[in-house]
Amino acid sequence: MEQITLMPRIGDIAPDFEAVTTTGKIQFSEYNKGTWVILFSHPADFTPVCTTEMSGFALEKEFFARNNTKLMGLSIDSIHAHIAWVNAVYEKTGVLFEFPIIADIDMSVSKRYGMLQPGESETAAVRAVFIIDPEGKVRLIMYYPLNVGRNMEEIKRSLLALQTSDQHKCAMPLNWTPGEKVIVPAPKTVEALQERKKSDLEMVDWYLAKRSLS
Ligand code: BEZ
């Protein structure tokens, strides 16, 4: 009987794996030590939407480094295809994909992470994004279909929202961007509620209060 492995969900420990990548063999848990990792898949090398997306990640190299985050791409292509594509994009545009790209030719990583979604394609990974924290926990997952490219601003915003939420023990409202007010956790006792009423928090109701981080 075929064993069914569940894809990781938010809050799960990211499944570990060893993979052949464009920067050499990598053990994911080692790569993830002490840093955030954005693990993302693309359907195929030498395709237009994927080229724009991978270039977008490469151009944000300094943003991700500044925010303690490493990148790791993946597709079900050979290491030779990856190397040829990286070289071709660099020669045409001057943009170098310096982050590792997994050659998941046996589909083991894409299957484990639910990146293969047969209703969309039996042979190509969908556009998945897993944001994984330095403790190895999956914190946010996005899936896009083959014909719609992702939004780099949203990927960056999500990463900063997670990091800010962890640091300040708060939640982020609709469309939050850095510098905007954050949501303060609701009071857990009647006494805390009475204290809140006297505070200078921006309050819509007792359970919906915002504060500035500055
Ligand atoms: C693209 O990246 O352009 C693409 C890849 C696979 C299917 C459709 C589009």
Side-chain angles (χ1 to χ4, degrees):
M1 208 165 71
E2 194 192 348
Q3 187 158 358
I4 296 168
T5 312
L6 286 180
M7 57 171 274
R9 294 162 298 191
I10 290 174
D12 290 349
I13 292 298
D16 196 15
F17 57 84
E18 186 187 72
V20 171
T21 83
T22 47
T23 61
K25 227 177 223 178
I26 291 182
Q27 188 71 39
F28 183 76
S29 53
E30 285 298 315
Y31 190 71
N32 187 202
K33 270 211 174 112
T35 70
W36 291 72
V37 176
I38 302 186
L39 172 65
F40 56 98
S41 54
H42 68 274
D45 297 348
F46 292 101
T47 54
V49 178
C50 298
T51 303
T52 63
E53 290 188 308
M54 298 295 268
S55 302
F57 277 110
L59 290 168
E60 293 294 351
K61 173 183 159 177
E62 278 159 26
F63 168 87
F64 289 117
R66 201 163 58 242
N67 291 291
N68 188 31
T69 302
K70 289 188 195 165
L71 302 174
M72 185 179 269
L74 173 151
S75 78
I76 301 162
D77 286 289
S78 70
I79 194 68
H80 299 108
H82 281 346
I83 291 168
W85 184 39
V86 170
N87 184 55
V89 175
Y90 183 53
E91 286 192 347
K92 288 272 180 216
T93 70
V95 177
L96 186 61
F97 306 162
E98 291 176 85
F99 50 83
I101 307 169
I102 299 170
D104 194 34
I105 203 80
D106 67 359
M107 305 187 187
S108 56
V109 181
S110 30
K111 279 185 181 159
R112 188 65 192 85
Y113 275 80
M115 293 163 169
L116 256 180
Q117 306 200 358
E120 180 73 345
S121 170
E122 301 265 5
T123 52
V126 295
R127 302 178 194 280
V129 179
F130 286 81
I131 303 186
I132 298 160
D133 73 18
E135 277 70 53
K137 193 183 273 190
V138 175
R139 300 292 301 277
L140 191 144
I141 303 173
M142 300 176 187
Y143 283 114
Y144 278 61
L146 298 197
N147 56 356
V148 179
R150 285 157 283 201
N151 183 313
M152 184 52 64
E153 288 309 309
E154 176 57 7
I155 292 169
K156 288 163 54 185
R157 186 194 80 94
S158 304
L159 176 70
L160 293 181
L162 287 166
Q163 293 180 343
T164 307
S165 165
D166 284 2
Q167 189 183 346
H168 296 279
K169 308 280 175 271
C170 57
M172 284 29 202
L174 173 77
N175 296 336
W176 177 86
T177 54
E180 293 180 359
K181 289 185 175 173
V182 301
I183 291 182
V184 189
K188 290 197 169 61
T189 62
V190 173
E191 190 186 349
L193 167 56
Q194 301 313 317
E195 284 304 311
R196 169 165 293 197
K197 282 199 226 161
K198 289 184 246 156
S199 76
D200 58 3
L201 294 174
E202 179 189 310
M203 220 179 316
V204 175
D205 201 342
W206 64 272
Y207 65 90
L208 202 182
K210 290 186 188 178
R211 76 176 172 97
S212 169
L213 292 178
S214 53

